[in-house]
Amino acid sequence: MAGKVFFSVSMSLDGFIAPEAIEDLMGQQWMELQAWMFPLRFVRESLKFGEGGEEGRDNDIARETFERTGASVMGKRMFDAGEHAWPEEAPFHTPVFVVTHEKRDPWERPGGTTFHFVNDGIEAALDQAREAAGDRDVRIAGGGETILQYVNAGLIDEFTIALSPVLFGSGIRLFDGVDAARVALDLVRAEPSPRVTHLTYAVRER
């Protein structure tokens, strides 16, 4: 039985998931947006930040998101930003399928992450990710444009937003350009924590 297709992102209170300029990815605003994750024990262990860290519901959610993911899909913009920012042992530990026009051999990293470059569109990338994931889920890792393409194509089953108490003012909005005429949502779960509110929605065709 194939798993679900989902995405999971942190979002500012005014609806942004990333700064506009690629050089600002991993910058101060982005760090504030993701600040809820960095103290977590699971994240510290995954990124080799050292021992210790916080436990609790935020930590459980970060770990559950990782454990359910059998493969990931991302766009070229996210890959370009992460290629130089991720540690040598990239934090995915699964196959990752990059939607791009660039032709490139698979890039294998320590720790089980291999990036595969897919040149024939989002559905081809998803098909390959499903096959690699087996009965686990496929995560659409980002960025915003790639997530939106999958939402508008009716290929997302559910998503989770970690709503952070920060304001961006400008940047990349998660749902800028969504086809609202065909996408409907059902609230599955709302879980507040001391740092963010986790909102989970099931997606269905309107």
Side-chain angles (χ1 to χ4, degrees):
M1 187 74 177
K4 293 180 178 179
V5 180
F6 78 104
F7 67 86
S8 178
V9 296
S10 298
M11 187 175 78
S12 71
L13 199 58
D14 52 347
F16 298 95
I17 61 170
E20 186 70 44
I22 195 167
E23 59 268 21
D24 292 333
L25 287 171
M26 317 299 177
Q28 181 178 349
Q29 272 192 317
W30 186 90
M31 295 294 287
E32 291 177 1
L33 183 67
Q34 307 293 349
W36 68 277
M37 293 197 305
F38 296 126
L40 304 179
R41 175 183 291 272
F42 177 79
V43 173
R44 288 181 58 81
E45 291 174 352
S46 296
L47 296 178
K48 311 297 186 188
F49 287 168
E51 297 181 357
E54 298 178 5
E55 299 190 10
R57 187 60 186 140
D58 283 342
N59 191 65
D60 291 344
I61 287 172
R63 186 185 65 252
E64 290 163 4
T65 300
F66 174 83
E67 290 176 347
R68 70 184 285 192
T69 302
S72 296
V73 176
M74 70 177 59
K76 183 63 162 51
R77 184 178 189 268
M78 180 177 179
F79 174 79
D80 286 344
E83 184 175 11
H84 304 291
W86 293 316
E88 183 181 12
E89 188 173 312
F92 301 95
H93 308 288
T94 66
V96 178
F97 297 87
V98 182
V99 181
T100 178
H101 297 296
E102 178 186 6
K103 295 188 182 300
R104 179 170 169 178
D105 292 334
W107 187 41
E108 187 174 348
R109 310 303 294 146
T113 301
T114 300
F115 294 93
H116 303 269
F117 301 89
V118 182
N119 305 130
D120 43 358
I122 63 169
E123 294 194 19
L126 181 57
D127 288 344
Q128 293 181 47
R130 282 188 187 277
E131 184 174 355
D135 59 358
R136 295 166 73 193
D137 296 338
V138 173
R139 181 180 184 182
I140 309 302
E145 182 179 347
T146 301
I147 287 172
L148 188 67
Q149 288 179 26
Y150 279 98
V151 170
N152 284 343
L155 296 172
I156 297 292
D157 297 309
E158 70 176 39
F159 63 87
T160 298
I161 292 171
L163 189 62
S164 296
V166 297
L167 299 171
F168 265 40
S170 64
I172 295 175
R173 288 189 184 275
L174 177 58
F175 293 114
D176 190 14
V178 70
D179 186 356
R182 66 169 299 184
V183 178
L185 306 176
D186 295 315
L187 179 65
V188 175
R189 194 163 47 250
E191 298 183 73
S193 81
R195 290 193 176 93
V196 295
T197 300
H198 301 277
L199 303 170
T200 301
Y201 297 89
V203 184
R204 57 183 170 82
E205 189 169 353
R206 185 181 295 277

